[in-house]
Amino acid sequence: MNLCHGNISIFDVAVLWFRLKVLRQLSLNDIEERNLYNEVEEILEQMENIWLRNNSAFINENDAITIADLLAISELEQLTFTDFQLDVYKYPRLVAYIERVRAQLYPYFQINHIKAFEKSQEIKNQTLSSKL
């Protein structure tokens, strides 16, 4: 299985969003942010409509989690650390997939991400207070 579109990893844009918005805390101009947002949306649509199209439990189209799912969840999870909102109505299979992978990896996923979740919340709070 190849999780790439053209020469770009299907998750490169999600990682870029995370790096720009959280790690570097850059303020993009409206056009740059809209373009990046559209690229993230395109990637999520591919996940929803290509990789999860058969309503399989995991990317490999069966009920067993694989390294592809570990890669996918680690990249997708970076979006939750930002201000990006994953629309459950637009991406129902993707949202369900994320929850399935988290549940399958419980409690290790949560334990390994606790510091990242805390830091994410701290950054979101700082960003919100700086906008006030």
Side-chain angles (χ1 to χ4, degrees):
M1 173 183 305
N2 184 0
L3 293 175
C4 291
H5 176 70
N7 293 327
I8 300 172
S9 163
I10 207 157
F11 303 109
D12 284 345
V13 176
V15 173
L16 179 60
W17 184 275
F18 174 75
R19 287 181 181 156
L20 292 177
K21 300 290 281 185
V22 176
L23 296 180
R24 296 188 185 146
Q25 297 181 4
L26 294 180
S27 295
L28 304 173
N29 70 43
D30 290 342
I31 294 172
E32 292 170 327
E33 186 159 343
R34 174 55 50 197
N35 288 341
L36 184 56
Y37 181 87
N38 289 340
E39 289 184 52
V40 171
E41 287 279 312
E42 181 181 331
I43 297 302
L44 297 176
E45 287 172 13
Q46 289 174 22
M47 285 292 298
E48 178 79 12
N49 299 316
I50 297 172
W51 302 109
L52 301 171
R53 71 177 170 259
N54 295 328
N55 289 320
S56 59
F58 302 104
I59 289 176
N60 62 347
E61 296 188 8
N62 68 39
D63 294 329
I65 196 167
T66 68
I67 192 71
D69 299 296
L70 298 176
L71 169 66
I73 195 64
S74 67
E75 301 296 342
L76 291 167
E77 198 63 44
Q78 292 186 45
L79 289 176
T80 67
F81 301 145
T82 71
D83 58 351
F84 192 91
Q85 298 297 314
L86 189 59
D87 186 344
V88 68
Y89 298 106
K90 190 171 183 178
Y91 305 110
R93 289 186 297 250
L94 184 56
V95 170
Y97 166 77
I98 291 169
E99 292 305 315
R100 265 193 310 279
V101 174
R102 286 177 180 165
Q104 188 80 24
L105 298 174
Y106 181 83
Y108 310 106
F109 182 85
Q110 290 75 7
I111 292 168
N112 287 316
H113 285 81
I114 191 73
K115 292 293 183 193
F117 289 131
E118 289 171 357
K119 185 64 175 174
S120 168
Q121 194 57 51
E122 178 184 316
I123 291 170
K124 287 178 184 179
N125 290 340
Q126 288 173 354
T127 303
L128 180 61
S129 64
S130 70
K131 290 182 180 181
L132 297 177

